[in-house]
Amino acid sequence: MSVCDPEELRTLFLFEKLDDAQLSELCAAGRIEYVDPGPVFLEGQPATCFYVLIDGEVKLTKLSGGVEVETNRTDQRGVYAGAWTAYLGDKAEPNYNGSMYVLRRSRFLVLDAADFSRMMHAWFPMAVHLLEGAFFGGRRSNQRIAERERLVALGSLSAGLTHELNNPAAAAVRATAGLRERVAGMRHKLKMMAEGKFPTEALVHLVELQEQAAEQVAKAPDLSPLEAADREDALADWFTDEGIADGWNLAPTFVQAGLDVDWLEGVKATLQACHADVFEGAVRWLNYTIETELLLNEIVDSTGRISTLVGAAKQYSQMDRAPYQVVDLHELLDSTLVMLNRKLGDGVRVVKDYDRALPPVPCFAAELNQVWTNLIDNAVYAMGGEGTLTVRTYRENDCVAVEIGDTGPGIPEESRNRIFEPFFTTKPVGEGTGLGLDISFRIVVNKHDGDIRVDSVPGDTRFTVRLPLQPAQQAPAGS
């Protein structure tokens, strides 16, 4: 440690406007220290000192995904680092927000954080108020806009989910109404049977045929429109030949169940002892049976779809679950794709390339879903609703990687280094806030000690999120 010279401090740009009394007080409060190459302070340690470089060379770094990234390397006299937000008192984070290393033996003016804060308040009271306003005002603005971004995204997802739920719900309502009509028709036919128009033996055979028809519905083959039309024509002709009225109206139901002329010939042979009007009644009874089974299948499919959507929404929101948990990332990705299904539309082909051998990952699941939402939404926007969206997972050393790729025009080179900056957006005015990727970056890097990067050329843009399988520290409390 050497003697502090007020005149030497005056040569530093930071202090050149101070008067003699202030320079003397600065020297009295501070100390001159020589520091050999190595770390001076590390990010996350208690911020106790404010450092001003008098001569030498330093390197400043920030942690990103658990890796130190160099932010500045300089030998400029007067540069400062350390507890520079000490003037905010207990309103600011009390730890160093970065690290500083000395690259060659260097000389510093060192002030204790408390002395630096006292001098700032005494010498620059107006500046302190302005800095406080800018610091906290900017933070509040970012928080409010980020909250609005989340609400807008939630509103969009809610509208999409409502639309997705409405379709199967409406189908289930229609199928239920149709089922009611068919059951009423079957009651009418049952009354006719009870009046004795069907011989007992024929009735037994008819019940057996009814069971066969119901089983066949579950095994019905998928037919092309042309194949279905050919079979319907053949059945309609057969019904006409058998004297059954409106056969063209019955044919589609039998074809949909996978029943053809040969099967109906078998029905005829079974009921050959019956009169023609009884045979026609049997055919219509079987038609009601098939329609009932088809409607029940539609109701099962529709309600199953509703259950799937509700399950996806619950998985997406992580409702009733702990914020920090160990999860299968594929479940999070699938629930996000379901929630965004309407936005994907018919023009986007989704390719899933999942490594199912990946182990579960400790994470803030609901917040990661917000990351997937932002990345997928940006990809769909970039492709203009037409292209291929690829969602890939794989292991990379001690991390899992999630890659969201699109076939859009790519990100211009001049924008690539800025896309994670808050408020920077390549979208037209009114279509983007520029916070989606900033929020995603903070969730991945700050909350998960992970990493997010982009590689982009025309026709192939890939955002890759890497998350550690074993968190470097206990689950962080906030971003």
Side-chain angles (χ1 to χ4, degrees):
M1 193 162 64
S2 62
V3 177
C4 178
D5 180 3
E7 290 305 315
E8 183 179 39
L9 294 186
R10 196 190 300 276
T11 64
L12 304 177
F13 70 88
L14 196 61
F15 306 130
E16 61 186 3
K17 300 297 183 182
L18 298 183
D19 58 32
D20 292 342
Q22 289 171 326
L23 287 171
S24 295
E25 184 177 345
L26 190 62
C27 267
R31 58 190 181 275
I32 303 298
E33 289 188 4
Y34 284 91
V35 181
D36 291 325
V40 181
F41 57 79
L42 299 177
E43 184 171 344
Q45 292 179 341
T48 58
C49 295
F50 177 74
Y51 294 84
V52 182
L53 181 65
I54 298 176
D55 53 62
E57 185 177 8
V58 297
K59 177 181 74 173
L60 303 177
T61 68
K62 287 278 292 179
L63 286 174
S64 176
V67 177
E68 279 192 290
V69 177
E70 184 175 321
T71 58
N72 194 17
R73 180 184 294 248
T74 181
D75 59 1
Q76 181 180 356
R77 302 176 71 249
V79 297
Y80 58 89
W84 66 272
T85 57
Y87 67 88
L88 295 172
D90 58 7
K91 301 175 188 176
E93 173 63 43
N95 300 326
Y96 291 117
N97 62 4
S99 302
M100 183 171 76
Y101 296 84
V102 166
L103 301 179
R104 54 186 169 87
R105 184 171 171 80
S106 302
R107 190 160 57 103
F108 295 90
L109 169 69
V110 182
L111 285 171
D112 289 338
D115 288 327
F116 172 70
S117 175
R118 175 178 56 77
M119 291 176 183
M120 284 288 291
H121 282 276
W123 296 349
F124 313 108
M126 182 176 177
V128 167
H129 287 303
L130 289 173
L131 287 169
E132 283 184 351
F135 184 86
F136 291 110
R139 176 184 286 180
R140 283 193 296 270
S141 296
N142 286 351
Q143 288 174 341
R144 288 174 182 171
I145 294 174
E147 287 169 3
R148 182 184 180 278
E149 180 95 349
R150 293 189 184 99
L151 289 173
V152 168
L154 180 61
S156 177
L157 289 173
S158 298
L161 181 61
T162 301
H163 178 81
E164 292 291 327
L165 285 170
N166 183 64
N167 288 339
V173 170
R174 287 193 303 270
T176 303
L179 183 63
R180 187 185 298 276
E181 293 177 7
R182 272 59 174 188
V183 171
M186 292 181 76
R187 286 200 302 268
H188 176 69
K189 291 296 179 187
L190 189 60
K191 179 182 178 184
M192 292 174 60
M193 293 178 186
E195 290 173 350
K197 288 189 177 184
F198 278 77
T200 302
E201 185 179 355
L203 189 58
V204 171
H205 288 314
L206 185 58
V207 172
E208 292 174 352
L209 291 167
Q210 184 182 28
E211 292 299 321
Q212 291 178 22
E215 291 175 4
Q216 186 60 39
V217 170
K219 300 184 292 184
D222 291 327
L223 301 175
S224 68
L226 185 59
E227 290 173 327
D230 289 343
R231 292 195 182 192
E232 288 173 14
D233 289 342
L235 269 182
D237 292 341
W238 188 85
F239 284 136
T240 300
D241 294 342
E242 295 298 323
I244 297 176
D246 298 333
W248 58 270
N249 201 24
L250 300 174
T253 301
F254 282 87
V255 170
Q256 192 174 352
L259 304 174
D260 54 16
V261 170
D262 291 341
W263 191 84
L264 284 167
E265 285 286 358
V267 173
K268 180 181 177 182
T270 301
L271 302 175
Q272 59 185 349
C274 301
H275 298 292
D277 59 337
V278 174
F279 175 62
E280 181 175 348
V283 169
R284 295 191 183 279
W285 171 266
L286 291 172
N287 182 69
Y288 281 129
T289 299
I290 294 167
E291 287 185 324
T292 300
E293 287 297 317
L294 291 172
L295 288 168
L296 284 171
N297 285 347
E298 188 173 348
I299 292 171
V300 169
D301 289 343
S302 298
T303 53
R305 174 65 177 159
I306 292 171
S307 179
T308 299
L309 287 167
V310 171
K314 191 172 182 179
Q315 174 67 259
Y316 181 85
S317 66
Q318 293 294 297
M319 190 185 305
D320 302 329
R321 302 187 187 188
Y324 192 78
Q325 55 185 300
V326 179
V327 300
D328 182 347
L329 284 183
H330 302 121
E331 293 180 358
L332 303 185
L333 291 165
D334 285 341
S335 68
T336 303
L337 288 169
V338 170
M339 294 293 288
L340 291 173
N341 185 62
R342 187 184 180 198
K343 186 163 287 189
L344 294 172
D346 297 327
V348 175
R349 184 172 73 98
V350 178
V351 175
K352 297 180 184 178
D353 182 9
Y354 290 168
D355 179 359
R356 294 292 184 180
L358 287 179
V361 178
C363 65
F364 291 90
E367 296 193 42
L368 280 185
N369 281 337
Q370 187 177 0
V371 174
W372 315 142
T373 299
N374 290 337
L375 296 181
I376 293 172
D377 185 58
N378 284 350
V380 174
Y381 180 89
M383 293 187 290
E386 298 281 343
T388 299
L389 175 76
T390 302
V391 183
R392 179 181 173 224
T393 63
Y394 57 93
R395 182 163 184 163
E396 188 176 277
N397 300 322
D398 293 329
C399 294
V400 295
V402 177
E403 186 179 280
I404 309 293
D406 68 71
T407 55
I411 302 171
E413 186 175 354
E414 62 272 15
S415 301
R416 218 168 295 157
N417 292 331
R418 300 191 59 199
I419 57 174
F420 294 110
E421 293 180 11
F423 307 110
F424 178 79
T425 179
T426 58
K427 296 178 182 178
V429 176
E431 293 190 27
T433 61
L435 282 175
L437 289 177
D438 170 58
I439 292 170
S440 299
F441 182 90
R442 286 189 282 112
I443 290 172
V444 172
V445 176
N446 296 352
K447 298 204 73 169
H448 292 88
D449 292 322
D451 180 47
I452 179 169
R453 299 180 187 178
V454 61
D455 296 288
S456 183
V457 294
D460 182 16
T461 295
R462 283 171 284 118
F463 280 85
T464 304
V465 173
R466 293 176 179 84
L467 301 166
L469 284 168
Q470 297 295 331
Q473 54 190 16
Q474 189 177 4
S479 58

